[in-house]
Amino acid sequence: MMPSRQEGDPGPARSPATPVGAPRPAPGPAQVDATPYHPSALFRRLLNQPGPQPSRAERDRVDPLPRAARVAAAPGLGMILGAAVVVGIASGWLELAVRVGQVRLLHRVAWSSLMISRHASWMLPVAATLLIVPITAVLVSPLLAWASWRRRRGDASRAVSWAWGWAGMVLGLLFCFGPLRAIPGLHPAAQVALAVGLGFRLRRLFARPTLGWRLTASWGAGLAILLLPLYALWRSHAVDGSPRLGQSQPAAAAPNLLWIVVDTLRADRMSLYGYGRPTTPALDSWARAGITFEMARSAAPWTLPSHVTMFTGLWPYEHGAAVDCPYFGPAPTLAEHLRAAGYQTAGIVANVRMCNAAYGLDRGFDHYVDYPSNREVSLRAMMYNSALGSVVMELGRRLLLPLPPAFPFVSYRNARAITAEARSWLDGLERGRESAALATERPFFLFLNLMDVHSPYFPPPSAERRFWTGPIPTTKLATPGCGWEALRARNAAGPQERPQRERELEATRRRLSDLYDDCLLALDAELGRFLRHLRDAGYLANTWVVITADHGEHFGEHDCFGHGSSLYNEQTHVPLILIPPLGAATTGDDPAGSLRGRRIRRPVSLRDLPRTVTELLLPAAENPFPGRSLARDWRTLQPGPPEPILSQLEEPHLAGDDFASEQVSRVNSAIVDDHVLIEFNNRPPELYHLYEDRLQQRNLADLPASRQRLEMMRRTLNALRGRRAAL
């Protein structure tokens, strides 16, 4: 057993202490240090060693802020607020980069992307600055006051250090919070946690007691206060200023183009197409001045892919536009092509979500209006466009402060409002032509999207109610959602309850159908007034008019309601009317006289519209659009066999009452000659005669006599889906 110190062992002898700074003798080769190892003694020895000596240049340089002053001086509030101005502008631009990058670089669209203001390039930095400066003052001032009080008492080192760190952390947190809020799919708790963590890590970057930081804060704030208003005025003028002129001058007397798309209008509910109710008397009359296509087909049963196909000539699988993805391909849109040819272009849409500029549908338009709030310049618009501003406004409203609410996501403008804005734009062109000689030769392309027959089916209060005679229902009872609920209740009912559920389903179907017809009658009257006004004002004298729809609507047929859930006739058979210029019709020498009142029975696709319109407006120019011109159907006696027509439903991730998610599947359809094939990814194909079975109730796919035709149409459908259009 080893003896302990308590038993008298004096321990190892200690060497005499060496004075601090005295040279120590170097041990010889045979000399062995008998002193035991003490880590604390080694640590003290390292601390006592002299550090690196400064160079002559560093010794000669005068430090404008002595070390003692740097430690003892707390940051001034004015200096911190100057840094907050710079941080606010930088944060706003970073948030703008995040938002634009999602759409333009990553090609991803979130619901929040649809309400980005056209003025976001200047609104976001201005809003971030207006918010970050006062928030910084509120959060930093108490600690600065405490540091100043501790300094007066002579104990300032720790308080000053905390003041600098807290100020830097606040600035870093506010700098990161807005851009993080702009990232879709990031949980709010994660946004706050990341902002706090990044603010802590970057605190020494945003606030540090150095001369460089003080100069950056003071000069940067001064320049920002001077230049930010000028930048805002410049960008605001760029948005609201004069439209860009085309790259070339169009041919003399080139026709104008008015393109009207009625959202959710199915052809067989129009008296123009043989419906038993007089739902479209005005359009019946206008169709006699033009060409009516009796079997026009949309490329998709919902708005976005159908519109992109109409504007580019690309099939849905070629352009790839979807709820979360805009059209970003290299193929030009009709508006881009016409603007390059010298046209003045404008688009005014009622479907502010699916026709939103974020999806690329504004490409080529000098003036494009979806959400009216996206063009509004106000403090409210500025705050709600900013991620930080929307949080502040929402918190203020929860605290019962008198703050305005956010702009509604569901925004609806009826045909009267859309056509009034269209007339205003056309009148503005006329005033411009009076003041600028260059504008006299420039035709226009005006695109309108109307949603008066889209759900909820509410005719205007002043409109005639001819078909639905019951009381005006609630919103829930005027949408396809109630139809889906009645259908599910019927399918889940037992034998005893089933007759009652059938009657309820039929009553729901009849109510929705009657309301839809009343909406269509009111829309028809408004369209008639609008076209008469344009004719009387002389706008239609040299204007081609296109009236069509993007898709139709189900009212219980094939156990479906709404749209976006099938490729049956109810959703893909749409109206198409082309009205030639009316100027010559009033003089008696009308070159389009043979076209007026003409009806074309063969099936056509809306995909061919951009090529057709380009040929009609600019016959001598290069036509960049795929497909074939529909003019072939009226210019030759034997136009040849019709081209195969493709329609596609690619499982859109939609939200709303227009469809039931369990009903959505991948569907492809092809029309070849007088038959239509519908292929599903989850059930057998269906084959129908296009004209003899318009309700599509007799499936020919299982008949032995149709086996050869079925195989031929399957090969055609596969070829359509695999063929790439020439871009």
Side-chain angles (χ1 to χ4, degrees), residues 221-479:
L223 290 175
I225 294 173
L226 176 64
L227 297 179
L228 188 59
L230 299 178
Y231 169 77
L233 290 175
W234 170 58
R235 292 305 307 160
S236 178
H237 178 74
V239 173
D240 295 331
S242 301
R244 291 168 288 178
L245 298 179
Q247 300 173 4
S248 62
Q249 189 74 10
N256 307 305
L257 174 62
L258 171 62
W259 190 321
I260 301 174
V261 176
V262 181
D263 207 303
T264 321
L265 176 57
R266 52 186 273 187
D268 64 348
R269 301 306 288 263
M270 303 173 64
S271 51
L272 174 64
Y273 286 83
Y275 187 45
R277 289 175 167 179
T279 54
T280 55
L283 288 179
D284 294 353
S285 175
W286 280 97
R288 289 192 287 270
I291 310 161
T292 301
F293 292 83
E294 295 184 354
M295 191 55 69
R297 314 294 293 200
S298 65
W302 61 291
T303 298
L304 176 59
S306 180
H307 274 78
V308 176
T309 294
M310 282 191 285
F311 284 166
T312 64
L314 302 177
W315 297 118
Y317 80 90
E318 291 175 317
H319 60 66
V323 168
D324 59 347
C325 181
Y327 172 63
F328 58 91
T333 66
L334 179 62
E336 286 177 316
H337 180 63
L338 293 182
R339 186 174 70 177
Y343 275 71
Q344 299 178 93
T345 57
I348 307 170
V349 300
N351 194 334
V352 295
R353 284 186 283 180
M354 292 295 102
C355 289
N356 196 278
Y359 286 114
L361 290 178
D362 68 327
R363 285 174 47 170
F365 286 104
D366 300 315
H367 178 79
Y368 195 85
V369 181
D370 40 44
Y371 280 103
S373 60
N374 285 352
R375 303 185 69 90
E376 179 178 319
V377 177
S378 65
L379 185 60
R380 175 192 182 192
M382 189 184 305
M383 290 297 106
Y384 280 110
N385 268 274
S386 166
L388 179 60
S390 61
V391 172
V392 171
M393 296 291 281
E394 181 62 26
L395 288 176
R397 286 179 55 80
R398 292 192 178 188
L399 295 174
L400 303 181
L401 297 178
L403 298 176
F407 295 103
F409 181 64
V410 179
S411 178
Y412 171 74
R413 292 194 296 165
N414 58 23
R416 179 161 298 185
I418 297 294
T419 55
E421 188 165 350
R423 290 195 298 267
S424 176
W425 184 79
L426 290 172
D427 294 341
L429 290 187
E430 285 299 317
R431 291 191 296 269
R433 289 172 178 175
E434 295 174 358
S435 59
L438 182 63
T440 57
E441 300 297 329
R442 293 189 177 274
F444 65 81
F445 167 33
L446 176 59
F447 159 62
L448 304 179
N449 168 274
L450 308 176
M451 282 190 67
D452 293 56
V453 296
H454 192 283
S455 65
Y457 313 118
F458 285 135
S462 58
E464 178 184 4
R465 292 175 54 193
R466 185 178 300 183
F467 308 115
W468 172 249
T469 58
I472 298 297
T474 62
T475 300
K476 181 179 180 180
L477 297 180
T479 61

